[in-house]
């Protein structure tokens, strides 16, 4: 019986020491949290959220995640997260392009030159000339246009 009382007393002393250590650790943690809130951006943001009263909203969102992935709130929150991620990626690409444009000083423009070469045979030109003579107006403008087209096609063919 005496041993039981002594063991209870020892357990009591250990319990008291443990409580003192826990209180000391909690006081140290509280001091660290206070310092973190006063010196970091994230801490200041959390303090601001608590001051404006939005902390209960974020706490409710956090509690909704405890229901699991099958809950509607979890689905909506993850959907908003994905939309935000895509939007921020697009904004990042535009900002990166703006910075590159500021460095280079102008927009990068890709120019392409397309040349269409039409091969005209002599028989086609003669057929068009005959048709033009039949249908030409009094000053022969259409015949002149066909001849110019033939000359330009012959000139292009010689270059290539």
């Amino acid at each position: 019986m005496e041993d039981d009382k002594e063991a209870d007393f020892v357990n009591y002393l250990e319990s008291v020491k443990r409580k003192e250590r826990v209180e000391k650790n909690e006081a140290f943690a509280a001091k660290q949290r206070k310092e973190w809130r006063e010196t970091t951006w994230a801490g200041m943001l959390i303090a601001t959220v608590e001051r404006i009263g939005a902390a209960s909203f974020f706490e409710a969102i956090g509690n909704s995640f405890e229901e699991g992935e099958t809950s509607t709130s979890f689905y909506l929150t993850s959907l908003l997260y994905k939309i935000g991620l895509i939007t921020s990626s697009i904004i990042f690409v535009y900002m990166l392009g703006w910075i590159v444009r500021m460095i280079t000083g102008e927009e990068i423009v890709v120019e392409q030159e397309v040349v269409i070469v039409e091969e005209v045979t002599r028989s086609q030109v003669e057929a068009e000339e005959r048709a033009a003579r039949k249908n030409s107006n009094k000053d022969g403008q259409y015949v002149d246009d066909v001849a110019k087209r033939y000359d330009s096609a012959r000139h292009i063919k010689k270059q290539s």
Side-chain angles (χ1 to χ4, degrees), residues 54-153:
S56 59
F57 170 73
F58 289 110
E59 190 174 322
I61 290 175
N63 290 338
S64 72
F65 289 130
E66 292 176 5
E67 295 174 15
E69 293 184 12
T70 58
S71 68
T72 305
S73 57
F74 180 84
Y75 178 73
L76 289 175
T77 306
S78 65
L79 185 65
L80 287 174
Y81 172 75
K82 290 173 186 175
I83 290 171
L85 191 64
I86 291 169
T87 304
S88 62
S89 298
I90 291 170
I91 290 171
F92 175 75
V93 168
Y94 275 109
M95 289 177 62
L96 191 63
W98 179 76
I99 291 170
V100 169
R101 195 173 70 229
M102 293 298 288
I103 292 171
T104 60
E106 60 184 54
E107 290 186 20
I108 299 172
V109 179
V110 177
E111 292 183 12
Q112 293 181 344
E113 193 172 308
V114 179
V115 177
I116 299 173
V117 178
E118 180 182 356
E119 292 190 21
V120 180
T121 62
R122 182 103 174 127
S123 60
Q124 287 174 335
V125 172
E126 289 173 355
E128 286 180 9
E129 286 176 355
R130 271 186 299 227
R133 280 189 207 116
K134 288 180 183 176
N135 299 328
S136 69
N137 54 14
K138 54 186 165 188
D139 55 354
Q141 180 67 33
Y142 184 75
V143 175
D144 291 339
D145 290 342
V146 171
K148 286 178 188 176
R149 189 169 138 219
Y150 174 73
D151 289 340
S152 65

